[in-house]
Every structure is written in structure tokens, then in C-alpha cells.
DNA sequence: TATTGTTATACTCTATAACTATA
DNA sequence: TATAGTTATAGAGTATAACAATA
């Protein structure tokens, strides 16, 4: 391995030496570390979850409409994507028989999306598969680390839905 | 808003009612919540960081090679992507004059990638831009929440590099 | 023959812009 | 005229498979 000695310079983004954040640092470094951690984990999750029946987007949308029917626009806003992307996802879900579209009664421009029985079943089956990799990693952590991640999930959730 | 009352059923994935995780629940729900939080945040980060000069992948790779030259294969393994994807990223970086390729001295099959001065400058400039959105959100959090995210970043980092 | 990297090709997800229908 | 959704098109990023060069 030529030229790969860990130099631990301040420019290495702390990936080779995450412990240098131990002393409660400022907001900037935290944002950098957090961004890298999240992007890498998400890439990993995407890769691990691939070749399953439902894509991450499909899964997420399917889960969102369980409480009741949602319009395409509401789903798009909730998932922080544009309407055409949501149309595409709903198309796939509908083709697979997992959701149905129905016109709004008050406002016929709206298209309400509802989950079917097959959709609920697929979601339940996919759920365990989807989180398999992450659950395995999480299970290997200390209870303290799990507690931290549990709170972090809540914080990130709030943060990214604003 | 027809049919969007929060029912808080056990199938709603806790996105409408995250507080139900307050009582230290099992590993499965945590993995589900965490996956959703990470995927949503990553999508948001990707969207917010768009239209900058460096893509998330380019940025991450550029940062990785700062400590010294790395081979394409090493970078691919580190970033958890396949070799062709890394080749593509390195091509873009090279076209932009941010890295240079040079053949390995011991093993001429290897292609070592090194950062240029322009690359270091671009990285420094991009770094503040890249984390702008996240830093703003993080700054708005309580010190306690920041402490949690700081630890979470470390945990996720270790978790996804294994 | 095995390994490193590249090229060729295709797929997924996303976005913006233009269009249809309803209000 | 404004809004909800769809269609058309394009771009970024990834993967697998086939190939070239080197070990």
C-alpha cells in the first residue's frame, strides 16, 4: 500500500481519526462529520437494500400512506421530492398492485393514493428484509450507543422534515 | 387534507409519533427509524448540496486522498463503491485538474491518485459550502442534541466502514 | 491464471419544463 | 389565472460484464 499511511492531518476530515472530536468541538466540524457519516451510511444502506422487491423510495412512500390516503402532492412534500418523482414511484407501486389511485371527492384535481392489502403485506415482508443489515449492526452495539442512535434518529427526523 | 389524521398505529413507523420510542424499545424499531432518518437526511443533503462544483462523491473522494496517494481500488473500497464508479469519479476530478493519476512504481497495474494544489483549494472552498445547510440546522439545535449527533456521527462512521 | 483498472452498457432516481384537467 | 398531477426529457450516480495491461 504505497502512500497510505494515516497522517491524521486536520484536513483528513476526521475519518481516519474520529476521536479528535472528543473534546466538544464547534458546529462546523460536527456538520462535516455528520454529513460524511450520513452519506456513507446511506450509500451503504442503499447498496445493502438493493435487489429487494421495493426500492428505498417505494418503501418509504408505502409506509407513509398506511395511516390513510394521501395525495400525490402531500406525499411528495413529505418525502422532500418533486411531484414528478412521486408520480413515478406511485406508478410503480400501482403497477405492482400495492396501492390504488382514486380521484378526490371535493377536489377532482387531487389524486389520492391508498395502500392495498397486498401493499400492507409487501411492506411487512420488506420491512424485516430492508433493515436486516442495519439491525445486525445496531444489535452489535452497546446499549449506550443504541440509546444515542435512538435519539439521533429522532433529531435527524425533525431536522430534515423542516 | 382528506384522510391524513395521524392515527399513530404501530405501522406508521413512528414518523408521525416519534415519541413512542421514548421507552427504550428493541433493536428492530430503532433500525427502522434510523434507516428512515438517514435516508431522508441524505436525500435532503444531496438536494441541498446540488449545483455546487463538486458532487458528494467527488468531494468525499477528494477528501480521502489528502493524506497521500491512494490507488483507485483502495478508494473504491473505502467509499464502498465498485471500481468503475471510482474510475468515473477520478476521471471527473482529473478533467477538472483536481487530481493527477500516476502509475504505481512497484506494481504498474495500480493507478495512484494524488490531489493537486487546485484540488486542495477546491476542497477547502467546497467544504464550507457543502455543510452550509447542515451546519445551519445543527446550530439551531440544543447543545445536548449536538452532543448526541456528535457521538452518533462517530458510531455511524465506525458502523458503515466495517 | 489472477489482479488492477478501464470501457461499454443499462438501470434507478432525481430534476425542470411543458402539458392536461380541474378550480 | 392558479393549482394538482402527468408526461417528456435530461443529468447524475451506480452496477455488472467484457476487455486490456500487468503480475
Amino acid at each position: 500500500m504505497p502512500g497510505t499511511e494515516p497522517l491524521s492531518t486536520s484536513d483528513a476530515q476526521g475519518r481516519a481519526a474520529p476521536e479528535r472530536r472528543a473534546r466538544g468541538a464547534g458546529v462546523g466540524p460536527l456538520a462535516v462529520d455528520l454529513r460524511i457519516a450520513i452519506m456513507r451510511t446511506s450509500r451503504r444502506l442503499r447498496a445493502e437494500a438493493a435487489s429487494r422487491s421495493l426500492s428505498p423510495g417505494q418503501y418509504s412512500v408505502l409506509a407513509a400512506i398506511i395511516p390513510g390516503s394521501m395525495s400525490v402532492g402531500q406525499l411528495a412534500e413529505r418525502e422532500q421530492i418533486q411531484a414528478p418523482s412521486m408520480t413515478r414511484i406511485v406508478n410503480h407501486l400501482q403497477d405492482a398492485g400495492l396501492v390504488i389511485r382514486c380521484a378526490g371527492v371535493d377536489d377532482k384535481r387531487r389524486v389520492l393514493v391508498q395502500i392495498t392489502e397486498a401493499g400492507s403485506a409487501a411492506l411487512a415482508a420488506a420491512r424485516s428484509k430492508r433493515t436486516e443489515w442495519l439491525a445486525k449492526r445496531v444489535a452489535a452495539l452497546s446499549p449506550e450507543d443504541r440509546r444515542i442512535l435512538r435519539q439521533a434518529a429522532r433529531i435527524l427526523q425533525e431536522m430534515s422534515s423542516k
Side-chain angles (χ1 to χ4, degrees), chain A:
Chain A
M1 291 193 205
T4 57
E5 327 81 85
L7 297 181
S8 287
T9 64
S10 62
D11 274 335
Q13 291 201 346
R15 294 205 282 185
E19 60 278 8
R20 96 187 141 80
R21 303 277 178 237
R23 47 179 190 83
V27 166
L30 167 57
V32 170
D33 288 352
L34 190 60
R35 188 185 67 74
I36 291 170
I38 287 171
M39 292 312 286
R40 290 190 71 185
T41 307
S42 72
R43 236 177 313 165
R44 191 67 185 268
L45 273 169
R46 203 176 290 274
E48 297 288 340
S51 84
R52 306 298 188 186
S53 49
L54 296 174
S55 77
Q58 289 176 333
Y59 178 91
S60 190
V61 169
L62 208 51
I65 63 180
I66 277 197
S69 59
M70 299 262 286
S71 76
V72 169
Q74 286 174 332
L75 287 170
E77 191 186 355
R78 171 159 198 163
E79 298 291 315
Q80 301 285 351
I81 60 177
Q82 296 304 306
S85 302
M86 185 53 70
T87 290
R88 197 173 179 271
I89 292 174
V90 171
N91 283 343
H92 285 303
L93 291 173
Q94 189 174 35
D95 289 350
L98 305 180
V99 302
I100 52 170
R101 276 182 167 90
C102 45
V105 281
D106 298 351
D107 185 342
K108 283 179 183 170
R109 290 173 308 180
R110 282 182 180 275
V111 172
L112 301 183
V113 184
Q114 283 182 287
I115 195 165
T116 64
E117 267 191 45
S120 298
L123 182 62
R127 179 167 293 155
S128 56
K129 292 264 184 189
R130 279 239 150 263
T131 53
E132 213 171 79
W133 175 82
L134 190 56
K136 209 174 293 177
R137 302 302 168 116
V138 160
L141 295 174
S142 69
E144 171 63 10
D145 279 1
R146 275 200 294 275
R147 194 184 62 79
I148 290 165
L149 290 186
R150 202 168 285 129
Q151 294 180 44
R154 173 183 51 77
I155 297 166
L156 290 177
Q157 198 67 262
E158 282 168 23
M159 211 165 72
S160 55
S161 44
K162 268 186 297 191

